[in-house]
Amino acid sequence: MVRVTVAGAAGYIGGELLRLLLGHPDIEVVGAVSSRFPGKRIDSVHPNLRSATDLSFCAAEEVPESDAVFLALPHRVAMTQIDRWRERSKLVIDMTGDFRLDDTDVFERYYGEEHQAPHLLNEFTPGLPELYRDRLRTADLISVPGCMATAGVLALYALVAHDLIDLEQGAQFDARTGSSGSGATAGPANLHAERSGAMRVFAPTRHRHEAEISRHLGLSAAMTATGIEAVRGAQTICHATLRAGADIKEVRRAFRRQYADEPFVRIVAHQRGIHRYPDPKILLGSNYCDVGFAVDEDTGRLTTIAALDNLVKGGAGNALQCLNIRLGLPETLGLTFPGLHPL
């Protein structure tokens, strides 16, 4: 059994990690760290885990040595604690924004402060299997991308890889996400009275996930982010320009070739039906990212759509997928739940 610890286990991402890890046949959870609830039973905070475990939250100093540690901590905290967790485990999978960028100037521009462990930025492998699978097989430090970044990258990567995008034109991303994306300790903006019925643009420009997209795709990305009434789910719509001469047949062929062997990327672009394009609602609880596309052949304008559960493929599930790869286990182990419909 692989001994695993989750730091920040009381948050939404931490709870999803516990849900997935407790159902994994080759994993034993030996530590669930919470600075807010040490000594309390896990199911007192995550009621969906009733009868799934008798574990209680513990303090960081009580965690035994582990084969892997997941950091589901608040942004800007992981970089101050990274040395502590590296002492407990050779393999660390970070789910915060602290190690997603490899440039200190870019980090400071998007996060508003100096990085506290700049010497490690280039040591982290991006936790995006569809792009970095080979590197993940031997990586000891892994940084899982943000949910909207994952959706944005997967929505466009196939076309970048097949040289169908005019990179000089860049790409614009319109992203929307449910309230769980703000975390379990979100402030007044996430009160039901404020969030219910709202479609609130909270990042009209320079959302930090655009820097991740630019890094992975090699183009200039601009992102607008909107909070919607849903609890779970993220959807990213991308607008880009096709390379001169490219058409919808080449677009379709590129998506099919790039993702043919990807276990968690599905192409959803149908001519008719109410589910003809990616919708996060039917993906909740699953590790799938659905991607779709449309082309205006008169102008060469391309629109791609990607949807996922922000807490699973956009977080905990993607992290477990990376762990499976790193340990040489079947990549889909513990991640085959298909989502629900209707919901």
Side-chain angles (χ1 to χ4, degrees), residues 243-255:
R243 176 179 48 76
D247 59 23
I248 194 168
K249 292 181 180 179
E250 290 181 273
V251 169
R252 184 180 296 109
R253 189 181 306 120
F255 273 106

Side-chain angles (χ1 to χ4, degrees), residues 19 67 137 225 248 275 322:
R19 177 179 71 84
D67 299 308
R137 299 186 200 282
I248 194 168
H275 301 295
C322 291

